[in-house]
Amino acid sequence: MPITRRQSKLFQKLLTEQQSSSSDNSIMTTNNDNNLEDIEDIINPIKKEEEELLTESIIKDEVVEDNVVLIDYFSQTFQQRFQQEYQAIKNFRLENPNAPVDTMGCSSLADPLTDDKTKRFQSLIALMLSSQTKDEITAKAVNKLKEANGCKVEEVNKLTEEEIQKLIYPVCFYKRKSTYIKKVCKILIEKYDGDIPRDVKSLQSLPGVGPKMAYLCMTSAWNETVGIGVDTHVHRISNRLKWVNPTTTPEKTRLELEKYVPKEEWNTINYVLVGFGQTVCKPVGPKCETCVVKDTCHYHKDLMSDKIEKKKSKKRTSLGKTKKEEELEEETVDIKEEEEEEIIEKKTKKSTTKKKKSTTTKNKRKSFP
């Protein structure tokens, strides 16, 4: 049976007690010596195992908890890998500012010439419309609202839901979003004097405003970064690169990232990864071959191994088919050979019978007077 940690502690306690008693007593019996050796034989493998686990956790960037392999965010190898990959993506984005977010992102859609209250309201509206919608469509919808009535809270509040729908179409879930916008305008006028809330909790209490919008709104509207805005791009890339332990929602990804990403990068990481997700690390058909982090990317490695495995399986199946074909060919060859042999036999039989007939006729002629 394997020895438990509790048992090992008891053995260690017993060992220390016996060692202390040995220092007091000048004479040690052979029995005591043997007992000490037996206990040491039990403890040493446990100590060795603990040391190996410790060195492995330092060498690797993973730890085991409750039989589940987890990333150790503060291990040297993980920190080096994260810094290397993040910096490479950051440099790529600086050199290639051609993503939709660079020119049509929510933070750039507020009118710079209007008053601060309206700017903040426009930032919030842009974020609400951006959910499940491409930046190009979001930008068009915000511009339509600006053209219609300046996209001011009081003016938008005067519009009916049907009128809002016509202006924001074709954003995703435009009907539902028009209802949310109408409700938000009413709340902002009644509770916040036409302004937007200045904390994440209050922003999230507004209809149609989720955690990602709230954190990004704090940055773009109030210039206060209190958390990482995690959208579908940040969520996807963080999991593909194994920057987080496997997460199922953007909110869970945010909590994981905030454990180790420096606070000064909380605002930048969203912008960097969104643009990278729009141009390179796409949800479907990612451009892995031109990716700057493909050499260390876990997703790329898994993708390549899957491709190799598929090729191998295809080869196996094709080899299987040729073997069957060969067997069939061999069978047909055998049948043909047998048929040919039968034909030859028949021919030889016919020829022999003919010869016999011819000899008999000749003999008859000779014998005839």
Side-chain angles (χ1 to χ4, degrees):
M1 273 182 73
I3 294 159
T4 61
R5 301 281 177 200
R6 191 178 175 185
Q7 284 174 328
S8 71
K9 284 180 181 179
L10 287 168
F11 281 129
Q12 284 175 344
K13 191 179 179 184
L14 181 62
L15 181 64
T16 50
E17 282 175 2
Q18 290 208 17
Q19 282 176 341
S20 62
S21 63
S22 68
S23 62
D24 295 335
N25 300 323
S26 56
I27 299 163
M28 287 283 290
T29 61
T30 54
N31 288 334
N32 282 341
D33 285 336
N34 291 332
N35 287 337
L36 280 169
E37 284 172 10
D38 291 340
I39 294 160
E40 281 177 350
D41 287 340
I42 294 164
I43 291 167
N44 285 336
I46 295 163
K47 281 186 175 178
K48 194 178 179 183
E49 190 188 340
E50 284 176 348
E51 284 170 7
E52 283 174 2
L53 283 168
L54 185 68
T55 51
E56 276 182 20
S57 67
I58 293 165
I59 293 162
K60 296 179 180 178
D61 57 4
E62 293 176 341
V63 291
V64 180
E65 280 183 19
D66 299 327
N67 296 325
V68 180
V69 179
L70 300 173
I71 300 163
D72 181 6
Y73 298 135
F74 302 100
S75 68
Q76 193 177 352
T77 48
F78 174 78
Q79 283 295 319
Q80 283 176 352
R81 182 170 68 83
F82 168 72
Q83 292 295 339
Q84 182 187 336
E85 289 174 344
Y86 180 59
Q87 197 56 52
I89 295 168
K90 209 173 174 181
N91 292 339
F92 173 82
R93 289 282 292 112
L94 286 166
E95 291 164 15
N96 302 277
N98 54 359
V101 73
D102 295 321
T103 52
M104 293 171 277
C106 293
S107 58
S108 63
L109 295 179
D111 186 358
L113 302 173
T114 191
D115 61 277
D116 291 340
K117 264 189 186 181
T118 306
K119 276 183 199 173
R120 289 191 283 269
F121 174 70
Q122 288 175 359
S123 293
L124 177 62
I125 292 296
L127 285 162
M128 287 175 71
L129 294 174
S130 71
S131 178
Q132 308 277 322
T133 306
K134 289 183 177 181
D135 286 338
E136 302 94 315
I137 296 167
T138 304
K140 282 179 184 177
V142 173
N143 288 331
K144 278 184 187 177
L145 284 167
K146 285 180 193 173
E147 288 164 12
N149 53 24
C151 194
K152 295 187 176 185
V153 65
E154 294 84 2
E155 297 302 317
V156 175
N157 190 47
K158 290 174 186 175
L159 299 171
T160 63
E161 282 186 30
E162 288 74 20
E163 286 172 329
I164 294 169
Q165 285 173 25
K166 285 177 184 177
L167 291 167
I168 66 173
Y169 179 83
V171 299
C172 200
F173 308 117
Y174 68 96
K175 288 183 180 179
R176 195 185 301 169
K177 285 176 183 178
S178 67
T179 307
Y180 290 151
I181 289 167
K182 191 72 179 156
K183 286 178 180 178
V184 165
C185 288
K186 193 179 178 183
I187 292 165
L188 296 183
I189 292 165
E190 290 175 0
K191 282 184 75 175
Y192 299 98
D193 192 29
D195 208 342
I196 68 169
R198 198 169 182 167
D199 63 276
V200 170
K201 195 177 178 181
S202 300
L203 282 165
Q204 278 186 253
S205 69
L206 297 172
V209 178
K212 177 206 83 170
M213 297 177 207
Y215 286 107
L216 290 175
C217 192
M218 286 298 295
T219 305
S220 60
W222 293 107
N223 201 25
E224 293 176 17
T225 304
V226 292
I228 299 171
V230 177
D231 70 342
T232 182
H233 297 292
V234 181
H235 173 61
R236 181 179 68 255
I237 294 165
S238 298
N239 275 278
R240 280 182 177 179
L241 290 171
K242 284 198 176 179
W243 284 0
V244 292
N245 289 307
T247 54
T248 52
T249 62
E251 181 57 14
K252 286 177 182 176
T253 301
R254 179 187 70 80
L255 294 168
E256 292 294 300
L257 287 171
E258 285 180 5
K259 287 177 183 177
Y260 68 90
V261 175
K263 281 192 175 183
E264 56 270 20
E265 292 295 329
W266 283 12
N267 179 30
T268 314
I269 194 167
N270 175 273
Y271 171 77
V272 169
L273 295 186
V274 168
F276 191 67
Q278 288 174 337
T279 54
V280 180
C281 196
K282 296 180 177 184
V284 180
K287 297 177 182 178
C288 292
E289 293 307 314
T290 57
C291 178
V292 290
V293 292
K294 68 176 180 181
D295 295 333
T296 54
C297 176
H298 289 78
Y299 178 78
H300 178 62
K301 284 177 186 175
D302 293 342
L303 212 63
M304 291 304 292
S305 62
D306 285 347
K307 281 181 181 178
I308 291 161
E309 192 57 41
K310 278 179 184 177
K311 280 182 182 178
K312 281 180 180 177
S313 64
K314 276 183 182 178
K315 208 172 186 180
R316 282 194 211 106
T317 52
S318 65
L319 283 167
K321 282 177 185 177
T322 51
K323 276 182 181 177
K324 283 180 182 177
E325 283 169 6
E326 281 172 9
E327 285 171 5
L328 285 166
E329 279 173 11
E330 283 174 7
E331 283 176 12
T332 49
V333 166
D334 291 338
I335 291 161
K336 279 180 181 178
E337 283 177 355
E338 284 174 5
E339 285 174 352
E340 282 173 2
E341 282 174 3
E342 282 177 6
I343 290 161
I344 291 161
E345 277 178 14
K346 283 178 182 178
K347 280 181 179 179
T348 50
K349 278 180 182 178
K350 279 180 181 180
S351 63
T352 50
T353 51
K354 277 182 181 179
K355 278 179 182 179
K356 280 180 182 179
K357 280 180 181 179
S358 62
T359 49
T360 51
T361 50
K362 278 179 183 180
N363 290 329
K364 277 181 182 180
R365 279 173 189 172
K366 281 179 182 179
S367 61
F368 189 78

